[in-house]
Amino acid sequence: MLFNSFAFAIFLPIVFILYWFVFNKKLRTQNILLLVASYFFYACWDWRFLFLLLFSTALDYFSGLKIEKAARPATRKFWLWLSIGINLGFLGIFKYYNFFAENMSALLSQFGLKSHPALIQVILPVGISFYTFHGLSYIIDIYQRRIDAEKSFVDYSVFVSFFPLLVAGPIERATHLLPQIKRKRSFDYATAVDGCRQILWGLFKKVVIADNCAELANEMFNYPGAHNGSALWLGALFFTFQIYGDFSGYSDIALGTAKLFGIDLLRNFAYPYFSRDIAEFWRRWHISLSSWFRDYVYIPLGGSKVPAWKRIRNTFIIFLLSGFWHGAQWTFIAWGAINAIYFLPLLLTKRNRSNIEIVAADKALPSLRELWSIGITFILTMIAWVFFRAESIGSALKYLKGMFSSTVFQKPDIDGMGRAWIALGLIAIMFLIEWQGRRDPFPLRNIRQRSYAFQYAVYILFILAIFLWAGTPQQFIYFQF
Amino acid sequence: MKKFLRNILWLLLPLALLAWPADRWLSSRLKHSFGMAQGEFSVWEDIYSAKMQNEVAVYGSSRAWCHYDPEILKDSLNAETYNLGMDGYGFYMQHMRHLEYFRYNKHPKYIILNLDLFTFEMPKGLYNATQFIPYMSHSENMQSYMWPLQGFTHFDYYVPLLRYYGRKSECISLISDAVQGKQSLPMRHKGYHAHASEWNEDFKNAAKLMEKYSIVIDSPVVQLMDRFLTDCAREKIQVIMVYSPENIAIRGFLRNKQQLVDLYREIAQRHHLVFLDYSDDPLCYDRSNFYNASHLNARGSRLFSQKLGHYLKTNGFIPKNMAVTP
């Protein structure tokens, strides 16, 4: 069930009404409803993988209790590693087994050894990377005595499976979400309206921006040889906005939906394309994943409070892991490595935290210097996205070669340039709205200060835009991760 | 909570109320947008007007609608002819059109069934789906044939306006035509459209991308054709199976064409029908007859229609029960 489907438009109001009108007497029944709704939502993708989700949930739930109860450190460690091992084992089998098997076979063939590894022909369970990371953070937090183990299986299951975040995040922390699940929730008008606004904005980004950009980006990336350099730059630009619109749009819909149930999820995006350097970009892009790697990998490795060579090592580890988390392909690893290379100079010169606040926080426009920094960061990011989007490293290099060829000065040879102009216009509109609302968690939030008539007109306009300007429906990119 | 629900209702109710008349208006405009959807609306409108009186009907894909000139066939055969060729679809969807045609109109005496490389391929998704929008909510045949194919969700059949979701070019074009008072002229005449273009690079580009093509033969579609031919025989409708000319450039591109042709011959023999195979006709060797490897242009279709009409006429229209190479 896609967030931008009519099925979801029916599902959501039904759950909302049951939640606030039928099961509102007791917190426990509300949580049971959320769990049933979440499993139904998940089963709409593929009901068979529901068992995997249940198993993973039960494993972490019982491991958490065992860790908490164990008196001996060795026993605690045993349950921690058992849970981590099984969770990562599932992830490894479903997501990475074929990658390792094929690459090992290719490596052996370099030494003249022939091997024909058995490959697994199975689809990747949707959301496995997200719910596995939920479970891991929970177990590690218990082990490090940051939190107590959750006693209620239902509440813990809702934490793992809450439908707005189940298939594509944000990756929640038990410290943030579990207390909300355990607390009596009451309906708050302002929060619910805010949630609706955020859903509307998320739908606009996904359906209007991402899906329209996808049509054009696909043309360039599928046949890079058939286009000149300027068209390939446009293709990279369209993909840059496709992935932003797609993923941040999904996150906005997830956050807005959660607000309708009185639950506040972690913010996942904070206007990343207004970043002035790569370090700031990574503090604003997929925040829940970046902070997960920071807290559970980077800091345990020593973080930045270690000698320079270790800082370099740690940086590469988290960026490569981040790339690999996205998928078992060399292109994702290359994307991670490129971002690490972008990031290192800032880290080594201790300028990685020089841009914390949003750009031009107290001004209407950025300074020329800020504009320049934003532009350079954006272009670097766009070049890195080429690796993320390409089918292989070879295709990415071919694409980049085309982008930097002499044909870059020619008129873009895109079939039906009108579509490209329209997409650019839509991107410009989104950019302006985001710039205007950059001080708020999402740009439509600041509309609440305006008159009702203005708000009403804006909502209608957005609904019509979503209806009329929707591109060819595309699967959310992050569902594959 | 009440305030929230009331405000949501105030926002969505006017839109919901407008959805039905908007759907009706767009659909009525779309039906008469004869230039859209490869001109398919004129054929659908002729079918649903229930006034088709032709004795000869041509079935097939795009290779039918641009290869068979109904006026030439009418002159040769002295029988009213209509071309029901359906762009981009094999026999599965052609059969859906056949059912709709038979449901509303006088049945023909003869059906020229044009066969090609994709006849037995089951479509995975809907191609040129816009053509179905105005009719899909009330045509049972459309619903049952389109249901298994990707393109529309189940809600699209019943919820007003939903099927127009994301069809910005169509909606904008309909609104702008209405504002300007434009009436679109039919692209097709009796279902036929002559392509006045010269040979282009379509095939070269496709060959570059695909290297070699394996023809797909889906057995449910073969069974469907068997059923169709049996039904026609029961109604005493003479079916003539024709493989119309295709340029020789396509030959090296195909892996298993002979298997397909053998199957066509076998089906023809099983149902005691004539199978006319023009895939090695002299027309196939001259690129000036084509605009791409599998489609005749206006010149080619004129020559082919004359040739076919002449053959059918000189052979008494209902030739002997045998497979022949004319």
Side-chain angles (χ1 to χ4, degrees):
Chain A
M1 195 188 305
L2 290 170
F3 276 173
N4 55 333
S5 67
F6 194 74
F8 187 72
I10 291 173
F11 169 81
L12 181 59
I14 290 173
V15 180
F16 178 83
I17 286 169
L18 290 174
Y19 183 82
W20 291 116
F21 289 98
V22 181
F23 296 94
N24 57 335
K25 300 285 184 295
K26 280 186 180 173
L27 177 66
R28 188 173 165 74
T29 52
Q30 272 190 327
N31 285 347
I32 290 171
L33 171 73
L34 283 185
L35 186 62
V36 171
S38 299
Y39 283 164
F40 175 79
F41 180 81
Y42 193 77
C44 287
W45 298 107
D46 196 325
W47 62 270
R48 291 165 300 177
F49 290 127
L50 205 53
F51 297 106
L52 189 65
L53 174 64
L54 270 166
F55 177 79
S56 171
T57 307
L59 171 76
D60 295 333
Y61 171 74
F62 287 112
S63 303
L65 291 174
K66 291 285 184 191
I67 291 169
E68 191 177 66
K69 276 184 191 163
R72 292 172 49 226
T75 317
R76 288 167 56 80
K77 200 169 261 183
F78 167 77
W79 284 104
L80 170 78
W81 285 108
L82 181 77
S83 172
I84 292 177
I86 295 177
N87 271 308
L88 292 182
F90 276 130
L91 199 59
I93 289 168
F94 282 106
K95 196 165 174 175
Y96 300 109
Y97 170 77
N98 285 354
F99 173 81
F100 282 116
E102 283 169 353
N103 280 285
M104 186 55 77
S105 171
L107 186 71
L108 288 174
S109 71
Q110 295 291 311
F111 297 101
L113 300 166
K114 286 231 157 95
S115 71
H116 301 286
L119 299 179
I120 303 173
Q121 300 296 327
V122 64
I123 50 165
L124 183 67
V126 68
I128 189 169
S129 306
F130 292 92
Y131 67 71
T132 301
F133 272 44
H134 277 161
L136 289 179
S137 74
Y138 170 76
I139 287 295
I140 296 168
D141 283 352
I142 294 173
Y143 180 78
Q144 294 183 335
R145 298 186 204 281
R146 286 192 203 123
I147 54 166
D148 294 331
E150 176 52 52
K151 306 296 179 298
S152 159
F153 184 69
V154 171
D155 292 357
Y156 177 71
S157 304
V158 174
F159 158 69
V160 177
S161 322
F162 184 38
F163 71 88
L165 54 76
L166 179 56
V167 290
I171 300 167
E172 269 293 341
R173 305 294 179 84
T175 46
H176 180 252
L177 184 55
L178 261 174
Q180 296 186 66
I181 292 169
K182 298 199 75 63
R183 199 167 51 223
K184 175 83 182 149
R185 298 175 289 271
S186 53
F187 183 81
D188 178 59
Y189 174 78
T191 308
V193 174
D194 228 26
C196 290
R197 287 191 197 110
Q198 197 159 5
I199 291 172
L200 196 60
W201 179 242
L203 279 173
F204 176 79
K205 281 198 284 188
K206 162 63 186 159
V207 168
V208 180
I209 302 296
D211 288 353
N212 278 300
C213 286
E215 290 172 24
L216 291 149
N218 289 347
E219 273 179 39
M220 309 308 149
F221 276 93
N222 290 346
Y223 310 108
H227 297 282
N228 61 16
S230 52
L232 295 181
W233 273 97
L234 274 178
L237 178 85
F238 288 129
F239 181 70
T240 302
F241 282 101
Q242 179 198 346
I243 191 154
Y244 174 62
D246 191 280
F247 193 24
S248 73
Y250 183 92
S251 294
D252 277 329
I253 301 168
L255 265 73
T257 305
K259 279 179 187 167
L260 291 176
F261 297 94
I263 289 173
D264 177 43
L265 297 182
L266 287 172
R267 193 181 182 192
N268 221 10
F269 287 85
Y271 310 106
Y273 291 151
F274 296 148
S275 302
R276 286 149 289 180
D277 58 50
I278 286 293
E280 187 186 8
F281 175 82
W282 278 103
R283 279 192 298 277
R284 296 180 176 281
W285 179 274
H286 202 174
I287 301 166
S288 64
L289 181 71
S290 313
S291 59
W292 198 100
F293 277 118
R294 182 196 63 207
D295 295 346
Y296 297 105
V297 182
Y298 188 66
I299 291 174
L301 285 171
S304 53
K305 290 170 184 160
V306 285
W309 76 267
K310 279 193 174 175
R311 269 184 279 158
I312 296 171
R313 180 203 65 182
N314 295 350
T315 303
F316 266 98
I317 287 173
I318 60 155
F319 275 106
L320 292 177
L321 275 179
S322 176
F324 202 47
W325 177 90
H326 284 87
Q329 278 184 46
W330 286 107
T331 48
F332 293 124
I333 296 171
W335 171 74
I338 289 165
N339 276 287
I341 292 165
Y342 288 165
F343 186 81
L344 271 180
L346 295 168
L347 182 75
L348 296 175
T349 55
K350 297 190 174 164
R351 285 189 293 131
N352 57 316
R353 297 191 66 80
S354 49
N355 294 311
I356 302 292
E357 290 297 315
I358 187 76
V359 63
D362 48 2
K363 294 179 290 182
L365 294 169
S367 66
L368 276 178
R369 189 190 160 87
E370 285 169 335
L371 200 62
W372 170 257
S373 307
I374 291 171
I376 293 294
T377 309
F378 183 83
I379 289 168
L380 288 174
T381 311
M382 197 163 87
I383 290 168
W385 284 131
V386 170
F387 283 89
F388 194 96
R389 171 60 180 80
E391 300 293 327
S392 64
I393 298 278
S395 311
L397 293 174
K398 186 180 171 189
Y399 195 96
L400 285 171
K401 196 177 161 194
M403 276 171 76
F404 290 99
S405 69
S406 57
T407 56
V408 73
F409 300 108
Q410 293 172 0
K411 194 178 157 205
D413 57 351
I414 297 176
D415 190 21
M417 191 59 198
R419 289 180 305 141
W421 280 116
I422 290 169
L424 288 171
L426 293 168
I427 289 170
I429 290 169
M430 181 193 74
F431 227 65
L432 285 174
I433 296 171
E434 290 224 322
W435 180 261
Q436 191 63 28
R438 70 193 180 283
R439 295 173 196 92
D440 287 303
F442 64 95
L444 276 194
R445 192 161 194 253
N446 61 18
I447 203 177
R448 65 199 165 146
Q449 293 139 2
R450 312 297 285 266
S451 69
Y452 278 119
F454 181 81
Q455 286 186 41
Y456 193 84
V458 169
Y459 300 148
I460 295 286
L461 207 66
F462 269 92
I463 292 169
L464 288 179
I466 288 165
F467 191 85
L468 274 180
W469 287 104
T472 310
Q474 314 273 336
Q475 174 84 293
F476 282 98
I477 294 175
Y478 268 69
F479 281 9
Q480 63 186 294
F481 307 139
Chain B
M1 175 63 90
K2 274 183 192 165
K3 187 182 169 191
F4 176 75
L5 291 179
R6 196 182 59 225
N7 285 351
I8 289 282
L9 210 66
W10 272 118
L11 178 69
L12 297 181
L13 197 63
L15 293 172
L17 289 175
L18 277 174
W20 192 75
D23 185 295
R24 295 275 297 179
W25 183 82
L26 284 170
S27 295
S28 72
R29 297 286 314 178
L30 194 58
K31 281 177 186 176
H32 297 99
S33 304
F34 299 134
M36 272 191 197
Q38 300 279 24
E40 293 288 357
F41 287 120
S42 56
V43 180
W44 287 118
E45 282 303 292
D46 284 342
I47 288 172
Y48 291 122
S49 68
K51 288 176 187 161
M52 291 169 76
Q53 296 288 329
N54 46 293
E55 288 174 281
V56 180
V58 179
Y59 287 7
S61 63
S62 58
R63 275 165 46 82
W65 70 263
C66 56
H67 286 194
Y68 298 82
D69 186 333
E71 293 301 344
I72 293 175
L73 290 174
K74 181 189 168 187
D75 290 346
S76 306
L77 306 171
N78 201 23
E80 194 63 54
T81 305
Y82 197 99
N83 189 330
L84 287 141
M86 196 176 186
D87 185 41
Y89 285 109
F91 186 73
Y92 175 76
M93 290 297 275
Q94 290 165 27
H95 190 252
M96 183 271 286
R97 176 170 272 183
H98 154 77
L99 293 178
E100 289 297 88
Y101 165 51
F102 268 39
R103 184 176 173 185
Y104 293 100
N105 297 279
K106 186 190 140 200
H107 298 185
K109 286 182 185 156
Y110 308 104
I111 292 174
I112 297 173
L113 177 60
N114 186 71
L115 306 164
D116 57 42
L117 305 174
F118 306 102
T119 298
F120 289 136
E121 190 168 331
M122 181 74 181
K124 287 176 185 64
L126 289 168
Y127 167 77
N128 193 8
T130 308
Q131 64 177 304
F132 307 116
I133 289 178
Y135 318 104
M136 59 190 270
S137 58
H138 52 259
S139 162
E140 285 167 20
N141 286 324
M142 265 190 194
Q143 282 178 24
S144 63
Y145 275 71
M146 283 158 56
W147 207 264
L149 309 181
Q150 288 171 6
F152 291 109
T153 67
H154 295 183
F155 300 110
D156 291 326
Y157 293 91
Y158 308 112
V159 182
L161 207 60
L162 199 62
R163 50 187 163 268
Y164 286 94
Y165 171 70
R167 300 191 182 275
K168 50 184 178 287
S169 55
E170 288 91 337
C171 291
I172 288 167
S173 152
L174 291 173
I175 294 166
S176 96
D177 284 359
V179 169
Q180 293 169 31
K182 260 194 212 168
Q183 294 291 327
S184 64
L185 297 169
M187 178 183 157
R188 300 202 201 174
H189 172 66
K190 293 182 183 172
Y192 166 73
H193 176 70
H195 281 259
S197 5
E198 297 298 311
W199 177 266
N200 65 30
E201 298 295 297
D202 281 3
F203 175 73
K204 202 174 145 191
N205 294 337
K208 220 191 282 176
L209 290 173
M210 295 172 74
E211 289 179 359
K212 280 215 168 193
Y213 183 80
S214 285
I215 298 160
V216 180
I217 299 171
D218 285 313
S219 55
V221 187
V222 180
Q223 288 163 15
L224 185 69
M225 185 178 278
D226 268 330
R227 239 179 24 240
F228 159 77
L229 294 173
T230 310
D231 290 346
C232 288
R234 197 183 305 123
E235 278 205 52
K236 298 197 173 7
I237 296 168
Q238 177 66 51
V239 179
I240 298 137
M241 294 166 72
V242 181
Y243 196 105
S244 59
E246 63 190 9
N247 190 267
I248 48 157
I250 210 164
R251 285 183 192 170
F253 179 62
L254 301 168
R255 286 187 208 276
N256 53 340
K257 192 187 159 192
Q258 196 50 48
Q259 185 194 350
L260 182 74
V261 174
D262 290 346
L263 181 59
Y264 287 146
R265 286 186 194 282
E266 186 197 315
I267 291 171
Q269 277 167 5
R270 197 159 60 231
H271 292 273
H272 311 293
L273 302 173
V274 70
F275 171 49
L276 307 176
D277 185 0
Y278 286 89
S279 62
D280 199 36
D281 189 85
L283 285 169
C284 304
Y285 292 83
D286 185 357
R287 276 192 180 185
S288 66
N289 293 323
F290 294 85
Y291 70 89
N292 66 25
S294 53
H295 293 91
L296 292 166
N297 59 20
R299 176 180 185 271
S301 79
R302 191 185 70 244
L303 294 173
F304 170 64
S305 301
Q306 284 168 349
K307 196 170 215 172
L308 179 71
H310 177 74
Y311 179 82
L312 293 174
K313 188 180 170 184
T314 51
N315 284 276
F317 198 52
I318 308 170
K320 291 170 192 170
N321 297 335
M322 54 182 270
V324 289
T325 301

